[in-house]
Amino acid sequence: MYNKGTIITGLVIFVVLFTSPFVLGLVTSGPPPEPELTAKAKQAKQCVEVKEFMVESHMQLLDDWRNEAVREGKRTYVATDGKPYTVSLQNTCMECHSNKSKFCDQCHNYAGVDPYCWQCHIAPKEKS
Amino acid sequence: MGVWVSFFAVIVLIVIPWVGAQGAGQYLFGIVIPYVAVLVFILGFVYRATKWAKTPVPFKIPTTGGQMKSLPWIKSNPLDNPSNNAGVIARMALEVLAFRSLFRNSKLELREGPKLDYASNKWLWIAALAFHYTFLVVFIRHFRLFMEPVPGFVGLLESVDGFMEVGLPRLMMSSLILLLAALYLFLRRVAVPQLRYISLAADYFPLFLIIGLVSSGILMRYFIRVDITSVKELIMGLVSFRPTVPEGIGVIFFIHLFLLSVLIAYFPFSKLMHAGGVFFSPTRNLPNDNRVKRHINPWNYPVKVHTYSEYEDDFREKMKEVGLPVEKE
């Protein structure tokens, strides 16, 4: 092998960098988050749409809500099951999910998501 | 031909997890294949690099694009024709970070006259830069799924990348540029006859694979949504060696993961290895100090020499007899 020193150093740096998430994962990884439902949310049984849809696509629903409400003034959303909802983050969503830090933030922090809802909306004050 | 073979190969690679990632198959596509792929990638990379390192370089290659350092009144080009290691490092850094040799790409045309015409052609350089740097950004952004807690620079990068705030989840400019650049790199191979002539399946396959990978990622982020928390749970399971497959992850994720696994397992044995190979380029990594330091060919055979003075010692008497002049009496 020629230029042993340089090449082995380079390879070691490459392997260490590439495997660093595995090493860090062993040290730091915790259990996945469990967003907490408030009593009111539990009682309602179902959110605006079914759970799977809400988990995967709530942000797109919120985006549609925002665009329809702000640009077209459409303030009522009719869910797939025919139930009407008032289009409002603060008054409809946060009414049940009033525990932002125990509900929204749980997964958002875990997945490194920084939603810009709260640039315009006022985050609800939580009773601890 | 190569283009169709590669295209259908990637289609098959998409169909395999589509059909297979159901029930117990999710353990195969979510755990076994990614682990094997990472292992193949690391070992293959080290294997290829050491194999290259074992190849001797018989002589320094001074044919680089610049005046070498010689007499003080001749202006030398320390960057293109460095005479020391610092210059080599600068030249290599520019090559790796700014793709300098692609920047020099020129277009040759035969015009009426007949007249040969050379023109600068920067499209390949621009597309390659866009492609590699956005790929890097996309790679770094994915660290939000590999690390817990998410490191701060990932959030910073995302806020810059999603600066336009188009849609929700925010459109990341890098994803779009990456896809367009990969498409351009593919289209230039089919659109330019000369390039098409020299393109092989080994050129098309990685491009289709990456286009497939990026498309599946974009689809997963913006269109066919999956539960990102479960996805992170799966990946954190992989990186902490406590693998789990959470319920209810959509099949698009397994397609994305399988294409990635194929890409990294294929990486060390393909042209993609230029990532490591660029450091082994003799015209980039050797200083042009041929006349300052003697470069000994590493495979030099110890040649038995018989000098003239030894020859004269052997035959002195006979030489004198026939009247040949000798140097030593």
Side-chain angles (χ1 to χ4, degrees), chain A residues 1-2 7 11 14-15 18-19 21-26 28-30 32-33 55-57 59-60 62-63 66 107 109-116 119, chain B residues 38 41-42 45-46 49 53-56 143-144 147-148 150 158 165 167-170 222 225-229 232-233 236 238-242 280 298:
Chain A
M1 207 164 145
Y2 304 96
I7 290 167
L11 280 179
F14 161 74
V15 172
F18 195 80
T19 51
F22 290 91
V23 180
L24 286 171
L26 269 181
T28 59
S29 88
V55 166
E56 288 167 4
S57 303
M59 67 297 282
Q60 288 177 338
L62 286 172
D63 194 36
R66 176 189 65 176
C107 293
N109 290 343
Y110 184 65
V113 180
D114 180 26
Y116 54 90
Q119 286 177 4
Chain B
V38 167
F41 175 69
I42 295 175
F45 200 103
V46 172
K54 281 179 184 160
T55 312
F143 273 78
R144 77 191 178 104
M147 287 171 124
E148 171 64 31
V150 183
E158 274 197 349
E165 295 196 352
L168 247 177
R170 268 177 288 182
Y222 305 104
R225 307 257 333 137
V226 293
D227 175 14
I228 200 73
T229 313
K232 179 155 185 180
E233 198 182 330
M236 287 313 292
L238 288 178
V239 297
S240 61
F241 298 101
R242 284 184 287 267
F280 289 91

Side-chain angles (χ1 to χ4, degrees), chain B residues 46-80:
Chain B
V46 172
Y47 166 76
R48 275 302 281 277
T50 44
K51 202 177 154 197
W52 280 330
K54 281 179 184 160
T55 312
V57 179
F59 47 80
K60 294 206 171 178
I61 303 175
T63 50
T64 50
Q67 174 64 47
M68 77 177 281
K69 192 183 173 218
S70 56
L71 298 166
W73 46 271
I74 298 175
K75 199 179 164 200
S76 69
N77 189 337
L79 214 55
D80 282 324

Side-chain angles (χ1 to χ4, degrees), chain B residues 210-227:
Chain B
I210 289 169
I211 291 170
L213 180 68
V214 176
S215 313
S216 63
I218 289 176
L219 276 179
M220 181 161 50
R221 186 177 163 89
Y222 305 104
F223 302 101
I224 316 168
R225 307 257 333 137
V226 293
D227 175 14

Side-chain angles (χ1 to χ4, degrees), chain A:
Chain A
M1 207 164 145
Y2 304 96
N3 299 312
K4 240 185 200 163
T6 330
I7 290 167
I8 289 176
T9 316
L11 280 179
V12 166
I13 291 173
F14 161 74
V15 172
V16 166
L17 274 182
F18 195 80
T19 51
S20 60
F22 290 91
V23 180
L24 286 171
L26 269 181
V27 184
T28 59
S29 88
E34 279 167 31
E36 230 172 71
L37 287 175
T38 55
K40 198 168 179 187
K42 266 184 202 155
Q43 209 187 348
K45 292 252 165 64
Q46 186 174 318
C47 198
V48 176
E49 297 286 349
V50 289
K51 189 188 167 195
E52 285 69 36
F53 176 83
M54 291 315 291
V55 166
E56 288 167 4
S57 303
H58 61 274
M59 67 297 282
Q60 288 177 338
L61 183 78
L62 286 172
D63 194 36
D64 290 344
W65 275 24
R66 176 189 65 176
N67 291 346
E68 283 172 7
V70 175
R71 294 178 192 163
E72 291 157 31
K74 212 179 132 202
R75 285 266 170 202
T76 318
Y77 174 80
V78 182
T80 321
D81 60 4
K83 213 172 154 194
Y85 289 91
T86 310
V87 171
S88 168
L89 176 70
Q90 268 163 264
N91 297 334
T92 308
C93 303
M94 303 310 283
E95 195 196 347
C96 282
H97 303 293
S98 52
N99 50 347
K100 176 174 172 285
S101 62
K102 293 241 171 71
F103 184 75
C104 307
D105 294 350
Q106 286 291 314
C107 293
H108 286 163
N109 290 343
Y110 184 65
V113 180
D114 180 26
Y116 54 90
C117 309
W118 316 109
Q119 286 177 4
C120 301
H121 291 279
I122 300 162
K125 270 191 196 134
E126 285 178 52
K127 290 160 267 169
S128 53

Side-chain angles (χ1 to χ4, degrees), chain B residues 13-14 29 34 39 44 62 85 152 247 306:
Chain B
L13 289 176
I14 293 170
F29 288 98
L39 208 64
N85 278 335
E247 290 273 308
H306 194 232

Side-chain angles (χ1 to χ4, degrees), chain B residues 118-136:
Chain B
Y118 293 90
S120 128
N121 186 356
K122 301 274 183 272
W123 290 107
L124 172 63
W125 174 72
I126 290 170
L129 265 186
F131 173 80
H132 284 85
Y133 274 100
T134 49
F135 211 144
L136 178 69

Side-chain angles (χ1 to χ4, degrees), chain B residues 28-285:
Chain B
L28 178 69
F29 288 98
I31 294 168
V32 180
I33 291 176
Y35 270 139
V36 171
V38 167
L39 208 64
V40 169
F41 175 69
I42 295 175
L43 294 180
F45 200 103
V46 172
Y47 166 76
R48 275 302 281 277
T50 44
K51 202 177 154 197
W52 280 330
K54 281 179 184 160
T55 312
V57 179
F59 47 80
K60 294 206 171 178
I61 303 175
T63 50
T64 50
Q67 174 64 47
M68 77 177 281
K69 192 183 173 218
S70 56
L71 298 166
W73 46 271
I74 298 175
K75 199 179 164 200
S76 69
N77 189 337
L79 214 55
D80 282 324
N81 208 339
S83 58
N84 52 20
N85 278 335
V88 167
I89 289 168
R91 176 169 71 179
M92 187 61 92
L94 277 171
E95 181 62 40
V96 171
L97 301 173
F99 307 167
R100 206 138 169 267
S101 54
L102 291 186
F103 188 73
R104 293 208 195 112
N105 184 31
S106 58
K107 189 171 65 180
L108 177 75
E109 265 177 18
L110 191 61
R111 296 211 173 155
E112 268 181 72
K115 194 178 149 200
L116 260 186
D117 194 44
Y118 293 90
S120 128
N121 186 356
K122 301 274 183 272
W123 290 107
L124 172 63
W125 174 72
I126 290 170
L129 265 186
F131 173 80
H132 284 85
Y133 274 100
T134 49
F135 211 144
L136 178 69
V137 169
V138 170
F139 175 70
I140 294 173
R141 279 206 277 106
H142 276 75
F143 273 78
R144 77 191 178 104
L145 303 172
F146 293 144
M147 287 171 124
E148 171 64 31
V150 183
F153 64 86
V154 177
L156 194 70
L157 190 65
E158 274 197 349
S159 61
V160 175
D161 204 349
F163 170 73
M164 297 293 184
E165 295 196 352
V166 178
L168 247 177
R170 268 177 288 182
L171 174 75
M172 294 289 161
M173 285 180 273
S174 58
S175 323
L176 202 62
I177 298 171
L178 176 56
L179 184 63
L180 291 177
L183 281 173
Y184 170 80
L185 292 177
F186 162 67
L187 283 177
R188 75 180 257 284
R189 282 196 182 275
V190 274
V192 182
Q194 294 96 320
L195 272 172
R196 199 188 164 124
Y197 184 71
I198 58 164
S199 295
L200 304 168
D203 299 304
Y204 292 119
F205 179 68
L207 275 171
F208 282 132
L209 201 56
I210 289 169
I211 291 170
L213 180 68
V214 176
S215 313
S216 63
I218 289 176
L219 276 179
M220 181 161 50
R221 186 177 163 89
Y222 305 104
F223 302 101
I224 316 168
R225 307 257 333 137
V226 293
D227 175 14
I228 200 73
T229 313
S230 306
V231 167
K232 179 155 185 180
E233 198 182 330
L234 187 148
I235 293 170
M236 287 313 292
L238 288 178
V239 297
S240 61
F241 298 101
R242 284 184 287 267
T244 51
V245 178
E247 290 273 308
I249 300 182
V251 75
I252 183 81
F253 169 73
F254 290 96
I255 293 175
H256 188 65
L257 190 64
F258 185 67
L259 288 179
L260 176 72
S261 304
V262 172
L263 181 73
I264 65 168
Y266 171 72
F267 193 100
F269 312 101
S270 65
K271 296 190 174 194
L272 299 172
M273 228 359 232
H274 66 270
V278 64
F279 296 101
F280 289 91
S281 311
T283 60
R284 302 287 105 192
N285 68 8

